[in-house]
Protein backbone atom coordinates (compact mmCIF):
# COMPACT_ATOMS: atom_id res chain seq x y z
CA UNK A 1 0.00 0.00 0.00
CA UNK A 2 2.85 2.35 0.92
CA UNK A 3 4.68 1.52 -2.32
CA UNK A 4 1.56 2.24 -4.32
CA UNK A 5 1.24 5.62 -2.60
CA UNK A 6 4.88 6.44 -3.34
CA UNK A 7 4.40 5.65 -7.01
CA UNK A 8 1.24 7.73 -7.09
CA UNK A 9 3.02 10.66 -5.44
CA UNK A 10 5.92 10.33 -7.88
CA UNK A 11 3.59 10.37 -10.88
CA UNK A 12 1.64 13.31 -9.49
CA UNK A 13 4.87 15.25 -8.89
CA UNK A 14 5.95 15.01 -12.51
CA UNK A 15 2.51 15.15 -14.13
CA UNK A 16 2.20 17.96 -16.67
CA UNK A 17 -0.69 20.21 -15.74
CA UNK A 18 -0.62 22.61 -18.66
CA UNK A 19 -3.33 21.45 -21.03
CA UNK A 20 -1.64 22.64 -24.23
CA UNK A 21 1.57 20.86 -23.24
CA UNK A 22 -0.39 17.65 -22.73
CA UNK A 23 -2.02 18.08 -26.14
CA UNK A 24 1.38 18.59 -27.78
CA UNK A 25 2.74 15.43 -26.17
CA UNK A 26 -0.36 13.49 -27.24
CA UNK A 27 -0.05 14.67 -30.85
CA UNK A 28 3.63 13.76 -30.85
CA UNK A 29 3.14 10.22 -29.54
CA UNK A 30 -0.03 9.62 -31.57
CA UNK A 31 1.77 10.57 -34.78
CA UNK A 32 4.78 8.52 -33.71
CA UNK A 33 2.59 5.45 -33.27
CA UNK A 34 0.95 6.04 -36.66
CA UNK A 35 4.29 6.26 -38.47
CA UNK A 36 6.07 3.48 -36.59
CA UNK A 37 3.44 0.97 -37.69
CA UNK A 38 2.92 2.56 -41.12
CA UNK A 39 6.58 2.85 -42.12
CA UNK A 40 7.26 -0.45 -40.40
CA UNK A 41 4.89 -2.43 -42.60
CA UNK A 42 6.31 -0.83 -45.75
CA UNK A 43 9.83 -1.64 -44.57
CA UNK A 44 8.95 -5.28 -43.92
CA UNK A 45 7.26 -5.61 -47.32
CA UNK A 46 9.99 -3.89 -49.33
CA UNK A 47 12.99 -5.40 -47.58
CA UNK A 48 11.59 -8.94 -47.79
CA UNK A 49 10.87 -8.29 -51.50
CA UNK A 50 7.22 -9.11 -50.91
CA UNK A 51 7.79 -12.34 -48.99
CA UNK A 52 6.60 -10.83 -45.71
CA UNK A 53 4.02 -8.35 -46.94
CA UNK A 54 1.85 -7.16 -49.78
CA UNK A 55 -0.21 -4.16 -50.86
CA UNK A 56 -3.08 -5.56 -48.81
CA UNK A 57 -1.01 -5.87 -45.64
CA UNK A 58 0.31 -2.33 -46.15
CA UNK A 59 -3.20 -0.91 -46.42
CA UNK A 60 -4.46 -2.85 -43.43
CA UNK A 61 -1.48 -1.86 -41.29
CA UNK A 62 -1.83 1.83 -42.15
CA UNK A 63 -5.51 1.70 -41.28
CA UNK A 64 -4.84 0.01 -37.95
CA UNK A 65 -1.94 2.40 -37.30
CA UNK A 66 -4.45 5.26 -37.51
CA UNK A 67 -6.70 3.45 -35.04
CA UNK A 68 -3.86 3.01 -32.54
CA UNK A 69 -2.71 6.61 -32.97
CA UNK A 70 -6.22 7.85 -32.26
CA UNK A 71 -6.54 5.68 -29.17
CA UNK A 72 -3.23 7.07 -27.89
CA UNK A 73 -4.13 10.73 -28.33
CA UNK A 74 -7.89 10.97 -28.77
CA UNK A 75 -8.87 11.74 -25.19
CA UNK A 76 -6.21 14.43 -24.79
CA UNK A 77 -5.80 16.29 -28.07
CA UNK A 78 -8.57 14.93 -30.27
CA UNK A 79 -5.94 12.88 -32.13
CA UNK A 80 -5.54 15.00 -35.21
CA UNK A 81 -2.15 13.32 -35.91
CA UNK A 82 -2.28 15.02 -39.31
CA UNK A 83 -1.71 18.72 -40.14
CA UNK A 84 -4.44 18.50 -42.79
CA UNK A 85 -6.94 17.66 -40.05
CA UNK A 86 -5.63 20.43 -37.78
CA UNK A 87 -5.73 23.14 -40.45
CA UNK A 88 -9.11 21.99 -41.73
CA UNK A 89 -10.71 22.03 -38.29
CA UNK A 90 -9.33 25.51 -37.67
CA UNK A 91 -10.56 26.70 -41.06
CA UNK A 92 -14.14 25.60 -40.37
CA UNK A 93 -14.06 27.11 -36.89
CA UNK A 94 -13.80 23.95 -34.81
CA UNK A 95 -10.26 24.37 -33.55
CA UNK A 96 -8.42 27.49 -32.34
CA UNK A 97 -5.84 28.85 -34.79
CA UNK A 98 -3.50 29.73 -31.93
CA UNK A 99 -2.93 26.01 -31.29
CA UNK A 100 -2.31 25.08 -34.94
CA UNK A 101 1.48 25.72 -35.02
CA UNK A 102 2.02 23.70 -31.83
CA UNK A 103 0.04 20.74 -33.14
CA UNK A 104 1.80 20.76 -36.51
CA UNK A 105 5.28 20.93 -34.98
CA UNK A 106 4.44 18.03 -32.66
CA UNK A 107 3.09 16.00 -35.59
CA UNK A 108 6.18 16.59 -37.74
CA UNK A 109 8.53 15.74 -34.89
CA UNK A 110 6.58 12.57 -34.10
CA UNK A 111 6.77 11.48 -37.74
CA UNK A 112 10.48 12.32 -37.93
CA UNK A 113 11.27 10.29 -34.82
CA UNK A 114 9.18 7.37 -36.02
CA UNK A 115 11.13 7.25 -39.29
CA UNK A 116 14.37 7.31 -37.31
CA UNK A 117 13.16 4.39 -35.17
CA UNK A 118 12.09 2.30 -38.17
CA UNK A 119 15.40 3.06 -39.89
CA UNK A 120 17.28 1.96 -36.79
CA UNK A 121 15.33 -1.28 -36.34
CA UNK A 122 15.67 -2.17 -40.02
CA UNK A 123 19.16 -0.74 -40.59
CA UNK A 124 20.84 -4.09 -41.19
CA UNK A 125 18.02 -5.21 -43.47
CA UNK A 126 18.31 -1.98 -45.48
CA UNK A 127 22.07 -2.47 -45.67
CA UNK A 128 21.55 -6.00 -46.95
CA UNK A 129 18.93 -4.83 -49.45
CA UNK A 130 20.82 -1.97 -51.06
CA UNK A 131 24.43 -2.90 -50.29
CA UNK A 132 24.98 0.35 -48.41
CA UNK A 133 23.99 2.60 -51.33
CA UNK A 134 20.93 4.58 -50.26
CA UNK A 135 18.67 4.95 -53.27
CA UNK A 136 15.51 6.98 -53.88
CA UNK A 137 14.75 5.42 -57.28
CA UNK A 138 15.82 2.17 -58.89
CA UNK A 139 15.52 -1.57 -58.24
CA UNK A 140 17.05 -1.35 -54.75
CA UNK A 141 15.42 1.92 -53.67
CA UNK A 142 14.41 2.16 -50.02
CA UNK A 143 13.46 5.83 -49.65
CA UNK A 144 9.85 4.88 -50.43
CA UNK A 145 9.73 3.06 -47.10
CA UNK A 146 9.60 6.43 -45.39
CA UNK A 147 8.02 8.98 -47.76
CA UNK A 148 5.85 8.87 -50.86
CA UNK A 149 7.08 9.15 -54.44
CA UNK A 150 5.11 9.28 -57.70
CA UNK A 151 4.90 6.60 -60.34
CA UNK A 152 7.09 7.37 -63.37
CA UNK A 153 4.04 8.17 -65.51
CA UNK A 154 2.53 10.61 -63.00
CA UNK A 155 2.90 14.36 -63.56
CA UNK A 156 3.34 16.71 -60.61
CA UNK A 157 -0.04 18.29 -61.36
CA UNK A 158 -1.80 14.92 -61.37
CA UNK A 159 -0.03 14.02 -58.13
CA UNK A 160 -1.30 17.20 -56.55
CA UNK A 161 -4.85 16.43 -57.69
CA UNK A 162 -4.47 12.90 -56.31
CA UNK A 163 -3.56 14.24 -52.87
CA UNK A 164 -6.35 16.80 -52.91
CA UNK A 165 -8.90 14.14 -53.82
CA UNK A 166 -7.71 11.50 -51.34
CA UNK A 167 -7.56 13.92 -48.42
CA UNK A 168 -10.94 15.38 -49.31
CA UNK A 169 -12.39 11.90 -48.94
CA UNK A 170 -10.62 11.49 -45.60
CA UNK A 171 -11.88 14.73 -44.05
CA UNK A 172 -15.39 14.38 -45.45
CA UNK A 173 -15.63 10.92 -43.89
CA UNK A 174 -14.16 12.11 -40.59
CA UNK A 175 -16.85 14.77 -40.36
CA UNK A 176 -19.51 12.21 -41.25
CA UNK A 177 -18.27 9.80 -38.59
CA UNK A 178 -18.09 12.50 -35.91
CA UNK A 179 -21.45 14.09 -36.77
CA UNK A 180 -23.59 13.35 -33.72
CA UNK A 181 -26.73 14.20 -35.70
CA UNK A 182 -26.12 11.74 -38.50
CA UNK A 183 -25.94 8.24 -37.02
CA UNK A 184 -22.50 8.25 -35.37
CA UNK A 185 -20.77 4.97 -34.45
CA UNK A 186 -21.07 3.63 -30.89
CA UNK A 187 -18.82 5.25 -28.28
CA UNK A 188 -15.20 4.18 -28.69
CA UNK A 189 -15.70 2.96 -32.25
CA UNK A 190 -14.94 6.21 -34.03
CA UNK A 191 -11.22 5.41 -34.16
CA UNK A 192 -11.90 2.11 -35.93
CA UNK A 193 -14.16 3.83 -38.45
CA UNK A 194 -11.50 6.41 -39.28
CA UNK A 195 -8.95 3.63 -39.64
CA UNK A 196 -11.24 1.87 -42.09
CA UNK A 197 -11.54 5.10 -44.07
CA UNK A 198 -7.74 5.21 -44.43
CA UNK A 199 -7.75 1.54 -45.36
CA UNK A 200 -10.32 1.99 -48.12
CA UNK A 201 -8.54 5.09 -49.48
CA UNK A 202 -5.37 3.02 -49.72
CA UNK A 203 -7.21 0.19 -51.43
CA UNK A 204 -8.77 2.50 -54.01
CA UNK A 205 -6.48 5.50 -54.47
CA UNK A 206 -3.05 4.37 -53.35
CA UNK A 207 -1.51 3.54 -56.73
CA UNK A 208 -0.45 6.91 -58.12
CA UNK A 209 1.78 8.16 -55.33
CA UNK A 210 1.20 6.22 -52.15
CA UNK A 211 -1.72 8.14 -50.58
CA UNK A 212 0.23 10.31 -48.14
CA UNK A 213 -2.94 12.35 -47.28
CA UNK A 214 -0.97 13.66 -44.30
CA UNK A 215 1.79 16.30 -44.57
CA UNK A 216 3.53 15.20 -41.38
CA UNK A 217 3.47 11.54 -42.41
CA UNK A 218 5.38 12.47 -45.55
CA UNK A 219 7.55 15.49 -44.77
CA UNK A 220 8.94 14.38 -41.39
CA UNK A 221 10.31 11.09 -42.76
CA UNK A 222 11.46 12.83 -45.96
CA UNK A 223 13.59 15.21 -43.91
CA UNK A 224 14.97 12.24 -42.00
CA UNK A 225 15.96 10.40 -45.18
CA UNK A 226 17.71 13.51 -46.48
CA UNK A 227 19.79 13.44 -43.30
CA UNK A 228 20.30 9.66 -43.33
CA UNK A 229 22.26 9.37 -46.56
CA UNK A 230 19.63 9.46 -49.29
CA UNK A 231 20.74 12.89 -50.45
CA UNK A 232 18.93 15.72 -52.18
CA UNK A 233 17.12 13.36 -54.55
CA UNK A 234 14.44 12.85 -51.90
CA UNK A 235 12.96 16.25 -52.82
CA UNK A 236 12.44 15.51 -56.51
CA UNK A 237 10.72 13.24 -58.97
CA UNK A 238 12.83 10.87 -61.03
CA UNK A 239 13.06 13.48 -63.81
CA UNK A 240 14.10 16.27 -61.45
CA UNK A 241 10.85 18.10 -60.73
CA UNK A 242 10.13 19.32 -57.21
CA UNK A 243 7.84 16.79 -55.54
CA UNK A 244 8.22 17.41 -51.81
CA UNK A 245 5.55 20.14 -51.68
CA UNK A 246 2.82 17.99 -53.25
CA UNK A 247 2.12 15.79 -50.16
CA UNK A 248 2.16 18.93 -48.02
CA UNK A 249 -0.04 21.40 -49.88
CA UNK A 250 -2.29 18.82 -51.58
CA UNK A 251 -3.64 17.36 -48.32
CA UNK A 252 -4.19 20.82 -46.81
CA UNK A 253 -6.27 21.94 -49.81
CA UNK A 254 -8.03 18.59 -50.02
CA UNK A 255 -8.90 18.51 -46.34
CA UNK A 256 -10.62 21.89 -46.50
CA UNK A 257 -12.47 20.90 -49.69
CA UNK A 258 -13.64 17.63 -48.15
CA UNK A 259 -14.91 19.31 -44.99
CA UNK A 260 -16.80 21.91 -46.98
CA UNK A 261 -18.24 19.16 -49.17
CA UNK A 262 -19.71 17.36 -46.15
CA UNK A 263 -20.99 20.58 -44.60
CA UNK A 264 -22.65 21.79 -47.83
CA UNK A 265 -24.19 18.46 -48.84
CA UNK A 266 -25.20 17.11 -45.42
CA UNK A 267 -24.46 18.97 -42.22
CA UNK A 268 -26.02 22.34 -42.97
CA UNK A 269 -29.32 20.66 -43.90
CA UNK A 270 -29.93 18.93 -40.56
CA UNK A 271 -33.25 19.75 -38.97
CA UNK A 272 -33.05 22.46 -36.27
CA UNK A 273 -32.66 21.27 -32.72
CA UNK A 274 -33.73 22.51 -29.35
CA UNK A 275 -32.68 21.42 -25.88
CA UNK A 276 -35.37 20.34 -23.47
CA UNK A 277 -34.66 18.88 -20.03
CA UNK A 278 -31.09 18.21 -21.01
CA UNK A 279 -32.08 16.22 -24.10
CA UNK A 280 -31.71 17.28 -27.68
CA UNK A 281 -34.80 17.16 -29.83
CA UNK A 282 -35.10 17.62 -33.56
CA UNK A 283 -37.75 19.97 -34.89
CA UNK A 284 -39.46 19.03 -38.12
CA UNK A 285 -42.51 20.69 -39.66
CA UNK A 286 -43.19 22.34 -36.30
CA UNK A 287 -43.62 18.95 -34.61
CA UNK A 288 -41.31 17.35 -32.08
CA UNK A 289 -39.67 14.04 -32.84
CA UNK A 290 -38.62 11.40 -30.37
CA UNK A 291 -35.38 12.48 -28.59
CA UNK A 292 -32.40 11.23 -30.53
CA UNK A 293 -30.20 8.52 -29.08
CA UNK A 294 -26.48 8.59 -29.79
CA UNK A 295 -26.72 5.69 -32.19
CA UNK A 296 -29.96 6.50 -33.99
CA UNK A 297 -30.74 8.86 -36.82
Amino acid sequence: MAESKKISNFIDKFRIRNHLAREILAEFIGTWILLVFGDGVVAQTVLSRGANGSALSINWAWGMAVVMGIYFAGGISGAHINPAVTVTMATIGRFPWKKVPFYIIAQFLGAFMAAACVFGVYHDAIQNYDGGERQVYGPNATAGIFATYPQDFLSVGSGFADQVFGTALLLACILAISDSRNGPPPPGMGALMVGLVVFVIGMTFGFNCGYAINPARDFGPRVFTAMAGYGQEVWFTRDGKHWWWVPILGPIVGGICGALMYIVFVEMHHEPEKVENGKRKRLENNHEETPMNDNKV
Side-chain angles (χ1 to χ4, degrees):
M1 192 72 176
E3 286 297 318
S4 176
K5 188 174 181 180
K6 286 181 181 180
I7 294 173
S8 179
N9 289 337
F10 177 83
I11 292 173
D12 188 65
K13 182 179 179 180
F14 289 96
R15 183 171 64 86
I16 295 174
R17 289 168 172 78
N18 181 276
H19 192 68
L20 178 59
R22 294 203 302 266
E23 291 174 334
I24 290 169
L25 284 177
E27 284 297 304
F28 173 88
I29 195 63
T31 310
W32 185 86
I33 286 290
L34 167 63
L35 267 293
V36 160
F37 287 132
D39 283 356
V41 69
V42 181
Q44 178 168 285
T45 302
V46 170
L47 299 176
S48 69
R49 300 189 186 274
N52 287 62
S54 64
L56 182 61
S57 66
I58 289 172
N59 292 324
W60 267 120
W62 273 108
M64 294 309 298
V66 170
V67 174
M68 294 301 106
I70 293 173
Y71 278 132
F72 257 76
I76 308 299
S77 67
H80 293 187
I81 58 177
N82 181 342
V85 175
T86 301
V87 173
T88 297
M89 292 304 172
T91 300
I92 63 175
R94 301 181 188 182
F95 186 73
W97 277 106
K98 65 183 180 180
K99 290 185 179 182
V100 169
F102 298 102
Y103 269 52
I104 290 177
I105 290 170
Q107 292 155 0
F108 277 114
L109 289 176
F112 180 92
M113 291 304 300
C117 291
V118 173
F119 183 83
V121 170
Y122 278 110
H123 178 269
D124 290 354
I126 293 172
Q127 193 78 6
N128 178 69
Y129 187 91
D130 63 13
E133 182 183 354
R134 302 292 175 257
Q135 298 177 36
V136 178
Y137 299 102
N140 294 320
T142 54
I145 290 171
F146 305 99
T148 62
Y149 294 89
Q151 297 281 1
D152 291 345
F153 58 79
L154 192 73
S155 69
V156 172
S158 294
F160 179 78
D162 176 280
Q163 288 301 292
V164 170
F165 188 74
T167 317
L169 291 174
L170 173 64
L171 265 295
C173 290
I174 287 175
L175 260 64
I177 291 166
S178 60
D179 188 350
S180 63
R181 302 174 66 188
N182 195 22
M189 292 295 289
L192 179 60
M193 296 299 104
V194 175
L196 288 175
V197 171
V198 173
F199 168 75
V200 76
I201 291 172
M203 290 293 288
T204 53
F205 296 105
F207 178 61
N208 282 334
C209 49
Y211 76 109
I213 60 176
N214 182 337
R217 169 265 179 275
D218 192 87
F219 189 67
R222 194 180 301 274
V223 172
F224 172 78
T225 54
M227 299 170 61
Y230 289 87
Q232 296 304 303
E233 199 175 7
V234 300
W235 308 111
F236 303 98
T237 63
R238 189 189 290 267
D239 57 357
K241 293 183 176 67
H242 283 278
W243 174 259
W244 60 271
W245 64 272
V246 172
I248 297 177
L249 185 58
I252 298 293
V253 173
I256 296 169
C257 290
L260 292 176
M261 178 176 69
Y262 182 76
I263 291 169
V264 169
F265 280 89
V266 179
E267 187 176 291
M268 66 185 290
H269 307 294
H270 286 320
E271 294 296 335
E273 290 182 331
K274 72 173 183 178
V275 177
E276 187 175 286
N277 299 324
K279 295 182 180 180
R280 292 184 306 169
K281 293 188 177 184
R282 182 185 304 169
L283 302 180
E284 184 175 11
N285 298 326
N286 297 321
H287 295 287
E288 295 183 359
E289 288 190 347
T290 304
M292 293 190 299
N293 296 322
D294 286 340
N295 303 325
K296 292 183 180 179
V297 179

